[in-house]
Amino acid sequence: MDKNLKVLPLIPLRGITVFPYMVLHFDVGRKKSILALEEAMLVDQKIFLTAQKEAKIEEPEEEDIFETGTICNIKQILKLPGDTVRVLVEGETRAVLKECISKDPFFKVEVEILEDGEECSDNKNCEALARTIKDKFDEYIKLSGNIPVETIITLDELNNCGRLADTVSSYLMLKQEKRQEILECYDIEERLKKLLSVLVNEIEILKLERKIGVKVKNKIDKVQKEYYLKEQLKAIQEELGEDDEDKKEMKRYKNKISKAKLPKDVKDKALYELDRLKNTGTYSAEGGVIRTYLDWILDLPWNAQTKDNLEIKSVREILEKEHYGLKDVKDRIIEYLAAKKMSKSLKGPILCLVGPPGVGKTSIAKSIAHALNRNFVRMSLGGVRDEAEIRGHRKTYVGAIPGRIIYGMKQAKSKNPLFLLDEIDKMSGDFRGDPADALLEVLDSEQNSTFRDHYLELDFDLSNVMFITTANTLETVPRPLFDRMEVIEVSGYTSEEKLHICKEHLIPKELEQNGVGDNKIIFSDSAIYKLIDSYTRESGVRSLERRVASIIRKAIAEIMEKGRKNINVTVTKVKSYLGPEIFTYDKVDKEDKVGVVTGMAWTGYGGDTLPVEVSVMPGNGKLQLTGQLGDVMKESAKTGYSYIRANSHKYGIESGFYKNYDVHIHVPEGAVPKDGPSAGVTMVTAMISALNKNKVKHNVAMTGEITLTGRVLPIGGLKEKSLAAYRAGIDTVIIPMENEKDLLKIPKTVKSKLKYILADNIDTVLENAILRDN
Ligand code: ADP
């Protein structure tokens, strides 16, 4: 027998091609194959393995198997459960089937062994091909990722090109035909070429796969991530019961919007925002912002309004019942009503109530709202510096909210409330814009029907609102605002007026608040006067109200503790409840003195007397000023001094007095700093008296500004000043001629007790205040 021919048992393989030098195991189940195996084991453990052309054929015939296969060494046989056997084989050499000796009980074939020759060892082509294959295989390993990298090292050691080709082929994941094609290349160079082309092709495919793979993977990753997160969120929401909530919430808003009777543009905006909310979800941060915005829109009174009470009689009754005095304010409201009855479209007036604290500005405003049947809102402008406080912040700001006007309208719950803007004089502008400008727009009846808040970004109609503002002084009210308002002065009260207010309003109010029945606690008039004069010092009645409240509380305690039926609050009771008197008004000196004059001052807290003392001493013409004096008062002292120097001859004063004497002006008393020009005449009178040693009448008080030529200029706060003089026991007051018109506002009780002297020149003042020696 030719040494290249060999008879061997054959196993047809399904889907596997074995290359020489390749180690692999496979399972054998077919009876025929197992018998072939057994035969091989009995002989020399060599077997011929070749692939079936079609893997699915169960009983292959000769023509169903490839002729070229590999002679293998059986290394191991393992019996598996059932009739299967696992075989480990190692490829040895190529062989071609020459003849089928027997088919049964297994294939026995004669094969021709095709061993690789040595012809390739010094063939440069082969060498080059082999190197390229190694490089490419290296690349292939990296791309495929499922072949151990060390494999390449093993290959490096291989000098035999044929073996190299077979080994590399055994590692490649190739289709069966391709593997078979390589196996059938008996010529080494040809095999190398074939392998190289297959390898290059595979690399291309791998690269493409990878490219597509990355893209697809990225896409899948992203989609998957989103999906995953969404699912997770859903699960969390479900867990929290929010998913349902979300839907309910949307429904609730939708219902509210359709029921709210919103103007068209507002409704459109609300629906638009609701749509956005659907996309963001109610529980996201953005969702929170949208919800707040929607709540604002829905809470505002776009259409709701109260019906005005136009019954003049009943309005008057309510106003009178709730407040004593305040005639100007009450009259103005009645006028407004009368005008409104005539013309239906009348806009609300913008009243500005000016006066010291506690005179009832806020509470009369509340009362007006009550009388007119309007809702009442109050907003304090004290300390407002930023325009945004009035007009709101843009929605893009984190935590933005509407301005105070819109805030107030929400509270008002109707579009025609009475809106009280308190302390309009305490507002100030800074770099963030002037709030007064924004307020102008609010108050201007031409513009306020389309007031636009930065946050809402919708027009809101303020034209039906009745605005009332309050201020302590008009000096600091921004001019353009001032021009749009109707000013009503609410000045302080006399003791008699306070007595009325206290008896008719404050005491009943406090009793009611404390749940005390009628006639249980009775105040005597003198006790109330005591409270007014010795326990409070104010133009209004705020402290008085507090004192009354405190007495009532103490009286209640006494009733409870000592089982009294009722308590009469007398002067002694007041003293025992409240302790020693706190204030004593400077009753003016009973004596006429040289260099001592009573002036009258006006402070934010009402009027007060202002004693001025002057002393003259030898010196060299210094003018010294001490006491609680503001700059303006110092200026008027100097003006007065110059006037005296220029006119000394008129008043019997030594002409060179300013060279030989020092003049010291002192304004004692007064924790409250007093300032203002109105002490000019007082200081001049005191200086002249001190210089010419003539006494000043102790019962005269004066006020007025002075010029260098001795003219007396008008002053403000005459009522407050008169009240202070009256309280101090003065009987004559000298006032500037130009203030004559203000006398109308002085209460009759005061006017009947005080003698007013009108002066347009300092001479008139001096004539009436200074006693002549002879
Ligand atoms: P203002 O706003 O001027 O500072 P308020 O309105 O707060 O003063 O008044 C303080 C208190 O005095 C309130 O309780 C108010 O009812 C009462 N009051 C002030 N003036 C009167 C008045 N003329 N009649 C009745 N109560 C008054």
Side-chain angles (χ1 to χ4, degrees), residues 419-431:
F419 204 130
L420 183 73
L421 299 164
D422 242 348
E423 303 192 312
I424 195 160
D425 53 333
K426 309 245 171 15
M427 201 170 56
S428 59
D430 65 9
F431 62 94

Side-chain angles (χ1 to χ4, degrees), residues 555-565 567 573 577:
I556 295 172
E558 195 178 326
I559 291 174
M560 302 261 183
E561 228 172 69
K562 302 195 175 149
R564 293 270 174 79
K565 269 209 162 128
I567 280 188
K573 212 53 187 186
Y577 281 158

Side-chain angles (χ1 to χ4, degrees), residues 323-324 326 358-363 493 505 509 541-542 545:
H323 282 85
Y324 175 88
L326 300 168
V359 290
K361 300 183 295 296
T362 313
S363 72
Y493 298 113
H505 299 278
K509 198 162 79 183
V541 292
R542 210 174 272 167
E545 191 177 19

Side-chain angles (χ1 to χ4, degrees), residues 190-204:
E190 195 190 327
R191 194 186 307 160
L192 289 169
K193 278 185 188 157
K194 180 92 204 161
L195 173 62
L196 186 59
S197 85
V198 169
L199 192 56
V200 169
N201 197 31
E202 283 302 304
I203 289 173
E204 282 305 303

Side-chain angles (χ1 to χ4, degrees), residues 57 106 188 210 214 273 281 283 357 359 430 446 466 472 573-574 669 718 756 761:
I57 298 174
F106 55 87
I188 297 177
R210 179 164 275 215
V214 169
E273 293 293 330
Y283 291 90
V359 290
D430 65 9
E446 299 298 318
M466 180 169 184
N472 287 143
K573 212 53 187 186
V574 169
E669 175 91 22
L718 185 66
Y756 283 90
N761 192 289

